[in-house]
Amino acid sequence: MFADNKKLYVNAGFKSVHNECTWLKIDNKNQTTNGIGYEKINELMIKEIGNIKWEDGKIDLLGYLY
């Protein structure tokens, strides 16, 4: 998930991660695509569930960045 106010989510068990993300860049005004975005997004947070640990690596969001 992406969070501007991390404090709320940290208190709920989420933690910040620093994976490189890719997504489809869309110009909302013109409804056109502008290629693929590549970036480490500071607002990215995860909450681990079960026994599987989160790993560093690339995340493909398979579409538009919401």
Side-chain angles (χ1 to χ4, degrees), residues 9-54:
Y9 297 101
V10 168
N11 291 338
F14 286 81
K15 68 179 184 179
S16 292
V17 292
H18 302 285
N19 300 75
E20 181 178 331
C21 298
T22 60
W23 68 93
L24 181 61
K25 294 169 66 176
I26 296 175
D27 181 332
N28 289 325
K29 182 178 179 183
N30 298 316
Q31 296 296 303
T32 58
T33 57
N34 293 329
I36 304 295
Y38 300 91
E39 186 177 345
K40 287 188 178 181
I41 301 172
N42 291 331
E43 296 81 12
L44 181 61
M45 301 185 79
I46 60 101
K47 184 173 184 177
E48 293 178 330
I49 56 174
N51 296 326
I52 300 173
K53 295 293 181 190
W54 186 263

